Amino acid sequence: MTDDVFRALADPTRRRILDELTERDGQTLFEICARLVSKHGLGLTRQAISQHLGVLESAGLIRTRREGRYKFHDLHTQPLEHIVTRWLRPDPPEDTP
């Protein structure tokens, strides 16, 4: 799973998608595309963005939910938390006199 997360984070477009979901969670594909164009000048097709979302979902970084005919994308940070805690060590005990 960790390899999938690193692979997903290696692409700058996918990182921008995660940034947008951090700023406003629960967006549709249309909303994500619009924000990427207006804020970052990325003129990618909806199909290209959809493929990026698929990679992020496979890595466990986003989850999708359907409400009627709409599909919403939500940020899921647990894989990132796992990576961060993997290499963090607890603070060493302070020397007490």
Side-chain angles (χ1 to χ4, degrees), residues 23-81:
E23 191 173 304
R24 197 174 124 242
D25 212 11
Q27 296 183 59
T28 64
L29 173 60
F30 178 79
E31 292 170 316
I32 293 169
C33 289
R35 290 174 69 99
L36 290 174
V37 168
S38 65
K39 291 178 71 178
H40 304 284
L42 292 177
L44 299 172
T45 64
R46 287 185 350 171
Q47 182 179 4
I49 299 299
S50 183
Q51 289 174 345
H52 284 297
L53 289 168
V55 171
L56 291 169
E57 187 173 15
S58 293
L61 293 169
I62 63 169
R63 292 193 174 156
T64 59
R65 60 187 160 81
R66 288 205 175 267
E67 290 181 21
R69 56 183 266 197
Y70 297 101
K71 183 177 180 181
F72 296 92
H73 303 84
D74 297 298
L75 182 64
H76 182 64
T77 60
Q78 186 175 8
L80 295 173
E81 293 166 3

